[in-house]
């Protein structure tokens, strides 16, 4: 009996050990000693898929790449093999002995942790990462360039800055790049031009063939004269440099080289506008414009209204100057103008029109002149000032009272008399009213009485219909699950919108929204989530390839954003992209 009990205990311990041995979650580093100018790669590997992966804080390092996720899932001889890895590239902040703390993940409802890893950082070494040739090749074959349309503009003349990343055909760049430093245009009025996707184009750089992508387009209007500096755009990228090693298909295997690239600062020499020939009414308009003054009518009666519109059209700094003011005789009552702008901005600058519309109400009969108005601007193409003057307009008020100091004609039989007051002085005061009885109407047998009496009887069939629909809805288990997930996706999208500006809260809510959406539409569990499966399922459901890639890129951005600095503009773009992508998938899913 005692022997059987011991055997049972032994079998229980063995079974438990095997069960725990099935799950493996560990951290591996590329080296445990490195120089300050080297990069450290750390991989978090697991043999079962899990949820809620939380990496270490990396307090003593800068994350220059990652997280990169790779998944391997295959069967051989009836045995399933699964492997998933989260990879990061780290740059040490200083010399010393440091400890990379544990990472955590939930697998099958249990939380697993990696062991802490100790790393020693020494002074800079001569051959960083042992890949001197690869690093040198990446430095020679990757260039970030800021192309300025005009380095010597006039004050308030439009210039454009286009940031391009040139990459030689000999190497590649992984998609996990990020902007480390974003330019600030302190002495310029600036506006970014939206880029619809990063298209790979063919071009030349210093006489050699390159591929390039346009990363940013910005229109600038200098607000000061002299030498103005443009801050550089700095990016962290991972270059894929081919090596002499090949895979089983004969393809050359690349080595990953983290690299920082910068466009460098640029100096813009802004010329002042010439003083010679400057009109006295010049108010800072620079460009090529047309100018006109129009009125909605020239004949009307007293107390009627007309509109006078001052409008400038053309190409230039339309939002950066004031329109000339309208002057009219004191007998015309003028209201504050309504300002309107119809301006679009592209790479050539601002184009369109701006206008001020005045409402004018004459009080007395007579003819009133609206004096001519002049508008001056500087044309940088011809380096000259131009002035446009409108024609004088006459407002003819045909009917109404005469002004107090006006006399009528002096024909025979007429007598001179002053202007009489308007006989309809109180035209705008209400002179009639709708009287109502002060005695209250009794409630019994009133309309409200009969409505409240009959309402319960009318509500019975309505309640029956509602009950039946609710029962049918509760019976639809799959439909309820989809509706619940849809509500959760909308809820988290709403939470993400409210959290704009708070990076961690925003991307956590956005990621939950995407996950709940896929649960509803594809009927998969969180434990099944990986980018390859998502892409395969969406493609099979006939979702366009570009939409699928957009969805995958948003998920990658959510992972990346937890460990890298993100701007408000980037968060807004990610939110708009997520909402748009979900809408497109809804329309295309079959």
């Amino acid at each position: 009996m005692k022997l059987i009990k011991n055997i049972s205990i032994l079998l229980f311990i063995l079974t438990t050990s095997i069960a725990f041995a099935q799950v493996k979650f560990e951290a591996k580093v590329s080296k445990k000693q490195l120089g300050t100018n080297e990069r450290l790669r750390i991989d978090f590997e697991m043999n079962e898929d899990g949820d809620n992966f939380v990496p270490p804080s990396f307090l003593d390092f800068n994350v220059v790449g990652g997280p990169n996720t790779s998944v391997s899932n295959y069967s051989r001889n009836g045995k399933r093999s699964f492997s998933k890895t989260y990879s990061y590239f780290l740059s040490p902040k200083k010399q010393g002995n440091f400890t990379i703390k544990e990472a955590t993940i939930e697998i099958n409802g249990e939380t697993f942790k990696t062991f802490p890893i100790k790393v020693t950082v020494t002074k800079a070494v001569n051959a960083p990462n042992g890949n001197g040739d690869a690093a040198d090749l990446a430095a020679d074959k990757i260039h970030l360039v800021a192309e300025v349309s005009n380095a010597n503009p006039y004050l308030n003349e439009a210039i454009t800055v286009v940031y391009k990343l040139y990459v030689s055909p000999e190497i590649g760049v992984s998609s996990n790049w990020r902007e480390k430093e974003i330019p600030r245009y302190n002495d310029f009025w600036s506006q970014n031009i939206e880029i619809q996707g990063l298209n790979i184009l063919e071009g030349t750089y210093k006489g050699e063939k390159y591929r390039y992508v346009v990363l940013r387009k910005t229109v600038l209007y200098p607000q000061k004269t002299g030498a103005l500096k443009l801050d550089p755009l700095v990016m962290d990228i991972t270059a894929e440099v081919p090596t002499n090693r090949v895979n089983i298909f004969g393809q050359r295997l690349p080595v990953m080289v983290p690299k920082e690239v910068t466009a460098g600062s640029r100096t813009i020499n802004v010329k002042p506008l010439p003083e010679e020939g400057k009109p006295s009414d010049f108010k800072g308009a620079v460009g090529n414009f047309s100018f006109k003054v129009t009125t909605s009518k020239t004949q009307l009666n007293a107390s009627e209204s007309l509109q006078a519109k001052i409008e400038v059209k053309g190409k230039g700094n339309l939002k950066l100057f004031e329109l000339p003011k309208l002057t009219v005789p004191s007998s015309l009552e003028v209201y504050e103008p309504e300002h309107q702008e119809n301006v679009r901005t592209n790479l050539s600058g601002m184009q369109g029109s701006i206008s001020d519309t005045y409402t004018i109400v004459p009080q007395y009969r007579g003819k009133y002149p609206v004096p001519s108005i002049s508008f001056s601007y500087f044309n940088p193409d011809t380096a000259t000032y131009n002035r446009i003057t409108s024609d004088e307009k006459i407002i003819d008020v045909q009917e109404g009272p005469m002004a107090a100091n006006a006399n009528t004609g002096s024909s025979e039989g007429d007598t001179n008399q002053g202007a009489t007051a308007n006989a309809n002085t109180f035209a705008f005061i209400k002179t009639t009213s709708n009287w109502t009885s002060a005695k209250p109407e009794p409630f019994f047998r009133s309309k409200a009485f009969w409505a409240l009496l009959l309402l319960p009887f009318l509500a019975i069939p309505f309640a029956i219909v509602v009950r039946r629909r609710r029962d049918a809805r509760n019976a639809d288990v799959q439909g309820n699950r989809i509706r619940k997930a849809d509500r959760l996706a909308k809820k988290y999208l709403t939470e993400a919108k409210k959290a704009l500006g708070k990076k961690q809260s925003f991307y956590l809510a956005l990621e939950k929204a995407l996950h709940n959406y896929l649960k509803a539409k594809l009927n998969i569990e969180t434990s099944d989530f990986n980018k390859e499966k998502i892409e395969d399922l969406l493609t099979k459901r006939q979702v366009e390839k570009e939409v699928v890639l957009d969805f995958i890129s948003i998920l990658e951005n959510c992972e990346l954003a937890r460990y890298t600095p993100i701007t408000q503009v980037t968060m807004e773009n990610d939110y708009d992209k997520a909402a748009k992508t979900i809408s497109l998938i809804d329309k295309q899913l079959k």
Side-chain angles (χ1 to χ4, degrees), residues 281 291-294 310 324-329 368-375 387-394:
D281 59 350
F291 173 72
K292 64 179 180 179
V293 178
T294 58
I310 299 175
K325 303 296 183 182
L326 179 71
T327 57
V328 296
Y368 302 95
V370 176
S372 60
I373 303 174
S374 63
F375 169 72
R387 171 182 279 173
I388 305 174
T389 304
S390 66
D391 296 329
E392 182 183 85
K393 299 184 180 297
I394 303 297

Side-chain angles (χ1 to χ4, degrees), residues 73 75 92 95 106 130 143 156 204 248 280 289 302 322 351 385:
N73 191 2
S75 297
Q95 297 182 37
E106 293 181 9
H143 308 279
N156 262 316
T204 58
I248 60 174
S280 59
F289 304 105
E322 291 184 0
Q351 300 179 39
Y385 289 97

Side-chain angles (χ1 to χ4, degrees), residues 27-274:
K28 297 180 180 179
V29 293
S30 57
K31 55 175 65 179
K32 292 191 176 182
Q33 181 172 321
L34 68 156
T36 54
N37 59 336
E38 291 189 285
R39 300 292 183 266
L40 176 69
R41 173 173 175 162
I42 182 168
D43 296 327
F44 299 97
E45 298 180 354
M46 64 204 75
N47 64 348
E48 292 287 342
D49 199 2
D51 291 318
N52 302 323
F53 171 71
V54 179
S57 58
F58 302 125
L59 292 176
D60 302 305
F61 298 86
N62 292 317
V63 179
V64 297
N68 298 332
T69 307
S70 61
V71 178
S72 174
N73 191 2
Y74 64 93
S75 297
R76 180 181 295 175
N77 297 328
K79 294 184 178 180
R80 174 179 172 271
S81 177
F82 177 87
S83 175
K84 185 174 182 179
T85 305
Y86 291 97
S87 301
Y88 294 83
F89 292 94
L90 309 177
S91 170
K93 295 180 179 179
K94 56 185 177 181
Q95 297 182 37
N97 296 316
F98 306 110
T99 300
I100 300 177
K101 296 183 179 180
E102 67 273 4
T104 63
I105 194 168
E106 293 181 9
I107 300 177
N108 299 328
E110 294 189 43
T111 300
F112 293 84
K113 297 182 180 180
T114 61
F115 289 106
I117 299 177
K118 293 184 178 181
V119 176
T120 301
V121 179
T122 64
K123 63 181 181 180
V125 297
N126 293 328
N129 291 84
N131 291 315
D133 293 341
D136 293 341
L137 182 62
D140 292 338
K141 300 300 182 180
I142 300 177
H143 308 279
L144 182 60
V145 179
E147 297 182 356
V148 179
S149 62
N150 183 5
N152 297 281
Y154 282 103
L155 179 69
N156 262 316
E157 180 184 1
I159 62 173
T160 57
V161 182
V162 179
Y163 294 93
K164 297 180 180 179
L165 182 65
Y166 285 90
V167 181
S168 171
E170 301 174 20
I171 63 175
V173 172
S174 65
S175 60
N176 62 334
W177 55 267
R178 69 182 181 92
E179 294 179 341
K180 187 175 181 181
E181 295 180 18
I182 300 174
R184 293 180 176 85
Y185 309 106
N186 295 326
D187 298 318
F188 299 84
W189 182 95
S190 63
Q191 181 166 331
N192 289 326
I193 306 299
E194 184 178 356
I195 297 176
Q196 301 293 338
L198 296 178
N199 299 318
I200 301 176
L201 305 172
E202 301 287 338
T204 58
Y205 179 78
K206 293 184 177 180
E208 297 183 16
K209 289 186 177 181
Y210 272 78
R211 297 164 298 164
Y212 71 90
V213 292
V214 177
L215 302 175
R216 280 175 167 267
K217 297 178 182 179
T218 306
V219 176
L220 304 176
Y221 284 86
Q223 301 299 293
K224 289 172 59 178
T225 59
L228 306 182
K229 282 195 173 182
L230 299 180
D231 293 339
L233 172 65
V234 182
M235 298 178 60
D236 280 328
I237 64 173
T238 301
E240 299 176 351
V241 181
T243 65
N244 293 325
R245 296 179 296 127
V246 296
N247 58 19
I248 60 174
F249 302 106
Q251 299 170 330
R252 296 177 66 183
L253 296 174
V255 60
M256 312 300 281
V257 180
K259 179 175 174 56
E260 180 181 277
V261 292
T262 177
S265 61
R266 296 293 300 270
T267 300
I268 308 298
N269 296 304
V270 183
K271 299 178 290 187
L273 301 179

Side-chain angles (χ1 to χ4, degrees), residues 429-566:
I429 298 178
K430 189 173 182 181
T431 57
T432 59
S433 62
N434 297 322
W435 300 100
T436 58
S437 174
K439 184 178 179 181
E441 182 181 354
F443 177 73
F444 183 67
R445 293 186 179 180
S446 65
K447 293 180 180 179
F449 170 80
W450 292 114
L452 291 174
L453 183 65
L454 297 175
L455 185 61
F457 298 99
L458 297 176
I460 291 174
F462 177 75
I464 293 173
V465 172
V466 171
R467 178 67 179 271
R468 289 177 178 175
R469 289 187 178 180
R470 188 181 65 183
D471 291 343
R473 189 184 183 93
N474 291 337
D476 184 10
V477 178
Q478 181 66 17
N480 286 336
R481 181 184 175 187
I482 292 175
R483 284 189 288 272
K484 182 179 179 182
D486 280 343
R487 287 196 300 271
L488 284 173
K490 292 177 181 177
K491 172 188 173 183
Y492 287 122
L493 270 179
T494 303
E495 289 181 3
K497 188 172 184 179
K498 292 179 180 178
L500 277 170
K502 302 175 183 176
K503 183 186 72 173
Q504 188 169 0
S505 302
F506 170 77
Y507 281 102
L508 181 62
L510 189 62
E511 188 174 23
K512 287 182 178 178
L514 298 175
H515 280 218
N516 279 284
Y517 176 77
L518 285 184
K519 281 183 181 181
K521 296 301 180 183
L522 302 183
N523 194 22
I524 61 177
E525 297 297 330
T526 308
S527 58
D528 297 330
F529 267 76
N530 61 65
K531 289 182 284 188
E532 290 79 6
K533 183 166 185 178
I534 292 171
E535 183 175 356
D536 182 56
L537 289 173
L538 290 175
T539 303
K540 287 180 179 179
R541 299 288 291 273
Q542 300 184 20
V543 178
E544 293 180 2
K545 183 72 173 178
E546 183 179 352
V547 178
V548 176
L549 294 178
D550 283 345
F551 192 92
I552 299 298
S553 71
I554 299 169
L555 285 174
E556 291 175 347
N557 288 350
C558 290
E559 294 177 356
L560 177 63
R562 296 179 185 174
Y563 322 107
T564 57
I566 298 294

